[in-house]
Amino acid sequence: MDIKAAALLAEMQSLQGEARNMAAVQETAPRQDFAELLGQAVNKVNGLQQTTGDLRTRFELGDPAVGLEQVMISAQKSSIAFDATVQVRNKLVESYKTIMNMPV
């Protein structure tokens, strides 16, 4: 079996250059903390629920600028967002329990 050292060396140098380029791209990409992302998601759900509550109140008080369809769509959006957040929380708790039950 004949291995061509020059070709292998050239291939390794090429891969090394690509790895350096990828590392440079990763360093310049903004990093977001998971807790920050989760906090933003919870804040967005809270905002949707507050908007829905405001629209419901305005509709109940007879505000002509607010239609029933707006209230119902807003309620569905906030309900779906809340359900999705609860599912993410459930998965996180399940993952935490799995990790804590792992033998060390």
Side-chain angles (χ1 to χ4, degrees):
M1 182 177 228
D2 187 20
I3 298 176
K4 298 182 181 177
L8 184 59
L9 181 62
E11 181 70 22
M12 290 175 63
Q13 288 174 340
S14 171
L15 292 173
Q16 183 182 23
E18 288 177 21
R20 283 186 184 149
N21 290 339
M22 290 177 67
V25 168
Q26 288 178 350
E27 288 176 3
T28 59
R31 293 184 181 199
Q32 290 190 335
D33 186 20
F34 179 75
E36 181 182 328
L37 289 174
L38 190 60
Q40 289 173 357
V42 169
N43 289 336
K44 185 172 183 173
V45 170
N46 185 40
L48 286 170
Q49 289 179 336
Q50 288 178 348
T51 300
T52 299
D54 180 51
L55 285 173
R56 282 182 180 159
T57 302
R58 289 174 52 196
F59 180 76
E60 289 170 356
L61 293 175
D63 187 348
V66 178
L68 180 60
E69 67 280 355
Q70 287 176 304
V71 176
M72 296 307 293
I73 290 171
S74 180
Q76 286 300 313
K77 282 182 183 179
S78 66
S79 175
I80 290 169
F82 181 76
D83 290 343
T85 304
V86 168
Q87 290 299 320
V88 169
R89 180 197 60 107
N90 291 344
K91 288 294 183 182
L92 286 172
V93 169
E94 182 182 325
S95 299
Y96 176 77
K97 286 179 181 178
T98 302
I99 290 170
M100 292 308 293
N101 289 331
M102 285 181 166
V104 254

